[in-house]
Amino acid sequence: MLRSIAACALAGAAAVNAIATISVKGSKFFTSDGNQFYVKGIAYQLVPDDPLIDATQCGLDAALMKTIGTNSIRVYHVDPKEDHTKCMSAFADAGIYIWLDLDTFNTQIEQTEPKWNETQRDAFAAVMDEFQQYDNLAGFFVGNEVLTTGNGSIAAPYVKAAARDLKAHRDAKKYRNIPIGYSAADIATLRPMLQNYLACGSNASEAIDFFSLNAYSWCGTSDYRTSGYYMLEANSTSYNIPIFLSETGCNTFRPRTFEDQTAIFGDMADTWSGSIIYEWIEEANNYGIVSYGTKVDPASPSAPPDGFPRSGTPTPVNPDFANLSYVWKTLNPTGVKESAYNPTNSAPECPPATSGVWEVNPTSALPILGQTYNAQVATATASSSGTSRPSGTASGSAGQASASSTGGATDGLSRELTGAGAALAAVMAVFAWL
């Protein structure tokens, strides 16, 4: 049955069917029809390089996703040189939007010795240039979990510079106003400062359009307070841009019941704009809600190294798949009409530099294209200004720096395809595969 549905979806794939576009107004997302948009999404990265070029597979997956009310997927890596029309059409026909990361394994911003150069900017722009044509492209991420420590906060200005330059590229090319944001690791000591810093300032062209969080604190039979979700809400009520969970779905206790969704689409729905469940495909990390067949011996011919098939007819992994379906069907916030919404929240104050916690000078200019962080210069600047730790300023590098060659695919995978520590081992095996 799924294959016949997919065939119908692909029959008109010559052009992506019309679907309302997504934009930002104040702290909310709206469709071009004027309705508030809440993300009901699933992380979707079947293969490391690009899951949006196999039209048949996209059709099969989109058809099954539609049955449980999915309206979004998050894709972490794509190849901008490929043609994505048929896959984007299959998802559009199912009413599903794509939230897409712009970086690649070689161009992502690193928190150790961060930089932002033409190589990175051009690679990000190539992805934007390819996907801006699709109406169901909902938004772009300029980074995923770049900052994970207080010392790593020196990378925040580079994330913000990337957003600034990609927004400038979008506007110069006269693309529609596609939202550009950031996906953060949920680190309690870092989150409030990072959340505010990326949105702060009087110049909107230098701020992100939305902020999102990879959070796995609601596990098993937790609740709104025990999980810390009440603090997520409290820290966001006056936020001036949309905020949502870009990864969630703790699997410490099985089966997963996804009860956190009741809070996200209930008590938090006036502030938060939904969530993305991690993840679609079942692999060794046990986060998947579908499988493509029984695990095989990784040593067998043509088998993926982890033994988990990555194409074919998607089969629900129950009870998790059924549990998510049930929860989502009971949660349908309508929000507010765009015409009736008059946002009043202003941009937050830029957080002050705090030794060992947030080492970014709130008055420092953002890095210009071609700059690389220089700790010695930053330390000297901090000393002259009376602060005790580096301020997060950057020094210019001569010429065009090359994209980082450190880390490799395995390290990139662990950073890009998981927000939970339990997921690392399986994902590393997959990226070593290709």
Side-chain angles (χ1 to χ4, degrees), residues 325-361:
S325 175
Y326 171 78
V327 170
W328 270 357
K329 287 179 179 177
T330 65
L331 301 169
N332 295 290
T334 56
V336 62
K337 289 289 186 180
E338 183 176 9
S339 58
Y341 174 57
N342 297 302
T344 58
N345 291 345
S346 57
E349 293 293 325
C350 295
T354 305
S355 179
V357 177
W358 183 256
E359 301 186 343
V360 179
N361 187 330

Side-chain angles (χ1 to χ4, degrees), residues 9 12-17 84-94 134 136:
V16 176
N17 285 356
H84 301 90
T85 303
K86 291 183 179 179
C87 271
M88 293 299 286
S89 178
F91 284 109
D93 288 345
Y134 304 112
N136 61 327

Side-chain angles (χ1 to χ4, degrees), residues 251 254 279 281-288 295 306-308 310 422-427 429-430:
N251 70 350
R254 305 302 299 268
E279 64 174 321
I281 184 174
E282 175 72 339
E283 45 193 340
N285 58 28
N286 294 319
Y287 276 90
K295 181 182 178 182
D306 60 355
F308 289 89
R310 298 184 172 275
L424 292 180
V427 190
V430 176

Side-chain angles (χ1 to χ4, degrees), residues 85-382:
T85 303
K86 291 183 179 179
C87 271
M88 293 299 286
S89 178
F91 284 109
D93 288 345
I96 295 173
Y97 293 85
I98 285 72
W99 300 84
L100 181 60
D101 289 65
L102 290 170
D103 63 348
T104 67
F105 298 120
N106 292 324
T107 61
Q108 60 194 13
I109 299 169
E110 304 286 355
Q111 71 174 337
T112 303
E113 298 182 356
K115 60 179 178 288
W116 176 243
N117 56 46
E118 291 182 20
T119 300
Q120 294 167 296
R121 189 272 315 274
D122 291 349
F124 283 36
V127 175
M128 177 181 287
D129 291 344
E130 162 60 13
F131 281 87
Q132 56 78 29
Q133 64 185 297
Y134 304 112
D135 286 348
N136 61 327
L137 191 287
F140 292 115
F141 298 100
V142 292
N144 179 59
E145 298 191 357
V146 175
L147 286 74
T148 58
T149 66
N151 290 337
S153 61
I154 60 172
Y158 294 84
V159 172
K160 202 165 181 177
R164 173 201 64 199
D165 291 348
L166 270 298
K167 290 173 69 171
H169 178 79
R170 175 196 66 192
D171 297 344
K173 290 281 190 175
K174 301 188 184 305
Y175 298 151
R176 64 181 172 88
N177 201 26
I178 302 169
I180 297 174
Y182 175 75
S183 174
D186 183 21
I187 300 172
T189 56
L190 186 63
R191 181 199 333 113
M193 286 75 71
L194 176 61
Q195 179 177 315
N196 286 344
Y197 175 75
L198 293 178
C200 76
S202 58
N203 187 351
S205 68
E206 293 187 343
I208 58 172
D209 296 322
F210 67 87
F211 182 84
S212 61
L213 194 65
N214 298 339
Y216 293 81
S217 58
W218 189 307
C219 301
T221 55
S222 189
D223 57 47
Y224 186 53
R225 181 161 292 273
T226 303
S227 66
Y229 273 40
Y230 80 102
M231 287 302 299
L232 297 183
E233 169 69 1
N235 288 336
S236 307
T237 53
S238 61
Y239 207 41
N240 66 314
I241 59 175
I243 184 169
F244 66 97
L245 292 183
S246 44
E247 284 182 13
T248 190
C250 175
N251 70 350
T252 302
F253 299 96
R254 305 302 299 268
R256 292 190 290 175
T257 56
F258 304 102
E259 293 177 6
D260 68 324
Q261 302 295 290
T262 61
I264 295 166
F265 294 101
D267 292 340
M268 301 166 68
D270 188 52
T271 303
W272 288 69
S273 294
S275 68
I276 294 176
I277 301 298
Y278 190 84
E279 64 174 321
W280 181 246
I281 184 174
E282 175 72 339
E283 45 193 340
N285 58 28
N286 294 319
Y287 276 90
I289 61 171
V290 306
S291 71
Y292 296 99
T294 305
K295 181 182 178 182
V296 299
D297 182 354
S300 61
S302 302
D306 60 355
F308 289 89
R310 298 184 172 275
S311 63
T313 301
T315 302
V317 173
N318 284 316
D320 287 24
F321 183 92
N323 288 344
L324 179 61
S325 175
Y326 171 78
V327 170
W328 270 357
K329 287 179 179 177
T330 65
L331 301 169
N332 295 290
T334 56
V336 62
K337 289 289 186 180
E338 183 176 9
S339 58
Y341 174 57
N342 297 302
T344 58
N345 291 345
S346 57
E349 293 293 325
C350 295
T354 305
S355 179
V357 177
W358 183 256
E359 301 186 343
V360 179
N361 187 330
T363 62
S364 294
L366 297 182
I368 62 172
L369 194 64
Q371 281 191 316
T372 298
Y373 183 80
N374 186 313
Q376 291 180 335
V377 172
T379 301
T381 303

Side-chain angles (χ1 to χ4, degrees), residues 42-55:
I42 303 173
Y44 184 75
Q45 188 81 32
L46 305 185
V47 294
D49 51 354
D50 193 336
L52 299 178
I53 55 177
D54 184 337

